[in-house]
Amino acid sequence: MLDILDLQFIQNALIAGVLVSIASGIIGSLIVVNRMVFLAGGIAHTSYGGIGIAVYFGLPIFLGASVFAVLAALLMASITLNQRDKIDTFIGLIWAVGMAIGIILIDLTPGYNVDLMSYLFGSILAVSGEDIEFMSTLLITIIAIVTFWYRQILAVSYDSEYAQLRGINVKFFYTLILVISALTVVIAIKVVGLILVIALLTMPIYIAEKLSNSLASMMIVSGLLSSLFTIIGLIISYNFDLTTGACIIIVSAFFLMVFILINKFKEYSYNK
């Protein structure tokens, strides 16, 4: 079993999986606490437009997807802060247009036959050294931002009105959370794909939320759980020749269901 660790692509996949899992644990906690799940889903699908642009112009995929996702996050932040009654409509519009742009540009790319499955469901086994460098840089940036502005982010996440009264720039930190969420979504696409990325950003966080008594501990626990689920999913996918992203999500869902059942059983036993 340990022989597979001698393979370079498996080593890269494990490193990438852990890096993305830690980032997802931190950002997923912020997404859930700030009730941004739908926004993050919109960003994930909109980033496909960036993938199409990168493919068409011969740019690095991560670069194209990241720039497009950040622009989408800034647009969504502006809309949600100023026109809350039209959030669903605008996000649905941005979501659809972003994906349509990506698909059309990929179709127009001469001599390029892209594997859409790798972007829809992830391609962690194809992670390169450059991808790992990008993921590492982003993770370090996320940790630095959250550590430096932890109190402000905490205040904005749990009580934005109180934060504003304390003189905290709520709009800035709300936008900042969306931007780093967009970048995390982009690297998570490499692991589980844009269709499954929201599951990675929410299922481990649900468990961590129940086991934690602070936002910081919630981030740590969810990062550890995400790493565990990713490694187990990677092992299962390699042994049974299955799509890795889907395996990671199934593993996460399995542990989530077990966790919920155990809690239900405890509640039943306590009430009885």
Side-chain angles (χ1 to χ4, degrees), residues 42-148:
I43 292 171
H45 288 78
T46 303
S47 65
Y48 196 77
I51 294 172
I53 291 174
V55 170
Y56 186 80
F57 291 102
L59 302 172
I61 298 295
F62 267 146
L63 176 62
S66 297
V67 171
F68 207 81
V70 168
L71 291 175
L74 292 173
L75 180 58
M76 289 182 184
S78 176
I79 292 169
T80 53
L81 286 169
N82 299 307
Q83 300 186 54
R84 291 184 177 274
D85 58 322
K86 298 180 180 179
I87 291 176
D88 292 349
T89 302
F90 278 109
I91 292 177
L93 177 64
I94 296 170
W95 180 325
V97 171
M99 288 205 71
I101 290 172
I103 292 170
I104 289 173
L105 287 176
I106 287 174
D107 287 342
L108 292 175
T109 304
Y112 190 83
N113 185 20
V114 67
D115 179 15
L116 295 178
M117 292 288 286
S118 66
Y119 299 117
L120 296 177
F121 297 102
S123 54
I124 190 173
L125 296 179
V127 169
S128 65
E130 291 181 354
D131 293 337
I132 291 176
E133 289 178 6
F134 183 89
M135 293 173 181
S136 301
T137 302
L138 178 57
L139 178 58
I140 292 171
T141 302
I142 289 172
I143 293 174
I145 289 172
V146 173
T147 302
F148 186 75

Side-chain angles (χ1 to χ4, degrees), residues 179-192:
V179 168
I180 58 178
S181 297
L183 293 172
T184 303
V185 162
V186 169
I187 64 169
I189 286 174
K190 190 73 175 181
V191 176
V192 296

Side-chain angles (χ1 to χ4, degrees), residues 19-265:
L19 290 174
V20 172
S21 295
I22 296 172
S24 298
I26 296 171
I27 298 304
S29 299
L30 293 177
I31 288 173
V32 170
V33 170
N34 284 277
R35 299 178 182 177
M36 293 179 174
V37 175
F38 186 50
L39 290 173
I43 292 171
H45 288 78
T46 303
S47 65
Y48 196 77
I51 294 172
I53 291 174
V55 170
Y56 186 80
F57 291 102
L59 302 172
I61 298 295
F62 267 146
L63 176 62
S66 297
V67 171
F68 207 81
V70 168
L71 291 175
L74 292 173
L75 180 58
M76 289 182 184
S78 176
I79 292 169
T80 53
L81 286 169
N82 299 307
Q83 300 186 54
R84 291 184 177 274
D85 58 322
K86 298 180 180 179
I87 291 176
D88 292 349
T89 302
F90 278 109
I91 292 177
L93 177 64
I94 296 170
W95 180 325
V97 171
M99 288 205 71
I101 290 172
I103 292 170
I104 289 173
L105 287 176
I106 287 174
D107 287 342
L108 292 175
T109 304
Y112 190 83
N113 185 20
V114 67
D115 179 15
L116 295 178
M117 292 288 286
S118 66
Y119 299 117
L120 296 177
F121 297 102
S123 54
I124 190 173
L125 296 179
V127 169
S128 65
E130 291 181 354
D131 293 337
I132 291 176
E133 289 178 6
F134 183 89
M135 293 173 181
S136 301
T137 302
L138 178 57
L139 178 58
I140 292 171
T141 302
I142 289 172
I143 293 174
I145 289 172
V146 173
T147 302
F148 186 75
W149 281 313
Y150 178 75
R151 291 189 177 184
Q152 291 88 335
I153 290 173
L154 180 66
V156 171
S157 298
Y158 283 100
D159 194 337
S160 59
E161 292 182 2
Y162 172 75
Q164 196 160 14
L165 290 173
R166 290 288 304 272
I168 296 172
N169 191 335
V170 173
K171 290 185 178 181
F172 169 76
F173 285 104
Y174 181 86
T175 303
L176 179 64
I177 292 170
L178 263 184
V179 168
I180 58 178
S181 297
L183 293 172
T184 303
V185 162
V186 169
I187 64 169
I189 286 174
K190 190 73 175 181
V191 176
V192 296
L194 63 86
I195 288 180
L196 304 174
V197 67
I198 294 304
L200 182 66
L201 290 168
T202 53
M203 287 196 287
I205 282 73
Y206 178 88
I207 299 174
E209 187 177 22
K210 304 297 181 183
L211 299 175
S212 309
N213 54 13
S214 69
L215 180 60
S217 60
M218 182 177 168
M219 291 176 175
I220 294 170
V221 172
S222 57
L224 292 173
L225 289 174
S226 295
S227 299
L228 175 64
F229 300 160
T230 298
I231 292 171
I232 294 174
L234 179 60
I235 293 171
I236 292 173
S237 70
Y238 180 82
N239 287 329
F240 296 96
D241 194 23
L242 300 171
T243 302
T244 307
C247 288
I248 292 171
I249 300 306
I250 290 298
V251 169
S252 301
F254 171 78
F255 279 98
L256 175 60
M257 292 304 299
V258 170
F259 180 79
I260 291 173
L261 289 174
I262 291 174
N263 274 352
K264 291 292 183 183
F265 179 76

